[in-house]
Amino acid sequence: MSFLALSFTLLFVMITMLVSVWQKLGLERDIAIGTIRSAVQLLLVGYVLQYVFHTKNMLLIALIVIFMLTIACLNAAKRGTGLRRIVWRVAAAIGTTELLMMGLLIGFGIIDATAQYIIPISGMTIGNAMVVAGLFLNQMKQEVEASKGEIEVLLSLGATAKQAMAGVTKRAVKSSMIPTIDGMKTVGLVQLPGMMTGMIIAGADPVDAVRYQILIVFAFASSAAVTSIILSLLSYRLWFTKDLRLQIPVQKG
């Protein structure tokens, strides 16, 4: 695709901005900033990856993955604003998920230990884990608020923090995994995922593209479960004071 052809896609942005003006949504500035940022960021990433894909420097590859992890953790942790040291707990959950996924994929020889495979698959795995972590923290806040009375009754009857929060964390974990599970049920029927579509457009055999997409779908399901469960185990205690009084921090949306 030439840059001239790519420039015509700005028509989609213009239509979106016109809809915003028509409906008085006030989103024109955000749409314009988002358009510029996404274009600049993706172009920069493209040139960086063009260089990285031609190098076998594992340190450079590791630094790129760490950078992606850092951005993902900071973004997901915003959903837990007010919780003590939540960034480190999110980092532990997403980092463990990434290490587990890459360890299995490379260890079993499913993918080669090269930048061409590690960086894109890590990006998708980390991105999915980031979304799941954000959904979990957001749902936890809602569940704790809705179940405040139930939790306090359990505490008054002698339950530990873990026992009092068991039902809440279970519901939050299930809720955070719903988008991933729904995606698995409809993949190939309602949507053709990005990786598969990109490979087909690039001329790859559709069956080969499907095999890689199946890999990603299964990895997403596993990463969603691992991320939400680890984060639930690491964060449930943050909703209490040291003397086990329930606290609901004010979080940003």
Side-chain angles (χ1 to χ4, degrees):
M1 181 185 294
S2 66
F3 277 101
L4 178 60
L6 187 61
S7 66
F8 287 128
T9 59
L10 289 173
L11 288 171
F12 298 119
V13 178
M14 292 175 64
I15 291 171
T16 307
M17 294 180 74
L18 287 173
V19 170
S20 178
V21 173
W22 174 40
Q23 293 294 317
K24 299 179 180 178
L25 301 177
L27 295 174
E28 304 87 83
R29 182 173 179 274
D30 289 335
I31 293 171
I33 293 173
T35 300
I36 295 170
R37 282 191 58 176
S38 61
V40 171
Q41 288 167 187
L42 287 172
L43 284 171
L44 287 174
V45 167
Y47 285 115
V48 169
L49 291 181
Q50 189 176 46
Y51 167 75
V52 173
F53 282 0
H54 289 86
T55 181
K56 294 183 179 180
N57 189 331
M58 293 304 294
L59 177 59
L60 181 58
I61 296 172
L63 288 173
I64 292 175
V65 172
I66 290 171
F67 176 78
M68 291 190 292
L69 274 169
T70 302
I71 299 300
C73 293
L74 291 174
N75 187 66
K78 290 178 183 178
R79 297 293 180 180
T81 300
L83 295 174
R84 304 182 308 277
R85 295 183 290 279
I86 189 61
V87 175
W88 298 108
R89 287 165 172 80
V90 171
I94 299 179
T96 301
T97 300
E98 164 65 5
L99 287 173
L100 178 61
M101 294 300 106
M102 283 298 106
L104 291 174
L105 292 174
I106 295 173
F108 285 108
I110 299 172
I111 64 171
D112 296 328
T114 61
Q116 183 180 357
Y117 291 97
I118 293 175
I119 293 176
I121 294 178
S122 289
M124 288 185 281
T125 301
I126 293 169
N128 183 66
M130 174 190 71
V131 172
V132 170
L135 287 172
F136 172 81
L137 291 173
N138 196 57
Q139 188 63 29
M140 272 294 288
K141 178 178 183 293
Q142 296 178 26
E143 290 289 344
V144 171
E145 289 177 337
S147 306
K148 182 179 178 181
E150 173 191 336
I151 295 170
E152 290 179 337
V153 167
L154 288 171
L155 289 173
S156 67
L157 293 174
T160 63
K162 186 174 184 179
Q163 291 170 335
M165 294 289 279
V168 169
T169 54
K170 185 182 293 185
R171 291 192 293 271
V173 167
K174 289 175 65 175
S175 180
S176 67
M177 290 182 63
I178 286 175
T180 302
I181 295 171
D182 284 349
M184 291 180 70
K185 292 177 181 178
T186 59
V187 66
L189 299 177
V190 177
Q191 59 175 333
L192 293 178
M195 183 177 185
M196 176 178 145
T197 303
M199 290 181 67
I200 292 173
I201 291 174
D205 184 284
V207 176
D208 287 338
V210 166
R211 288 172 181 168
Y212 277 103
Q213 191 58 58
I214 290 173
L215 161 66
I216 296 303
V217 169
F218 290 172
F220 274 15
S222 179
S223 67
V226 172
T227 301
S228 57
I229 291 172
I230 291 178
L231 190 54
S232 70
L233 293 173
L234 294 177
S235 65
Y236 75 88
R237 189 64 177 78
L238 301 180
W239 300 90
F240 299 94
T241 60
K242 291 183 178 180
D243 57 353
L244 279 188
R245 284 182 292 123
L246 187 65
Q247 58 179 358
I248 304 176
V250 177
Q251 301 182 41
K252 295 180 182 179

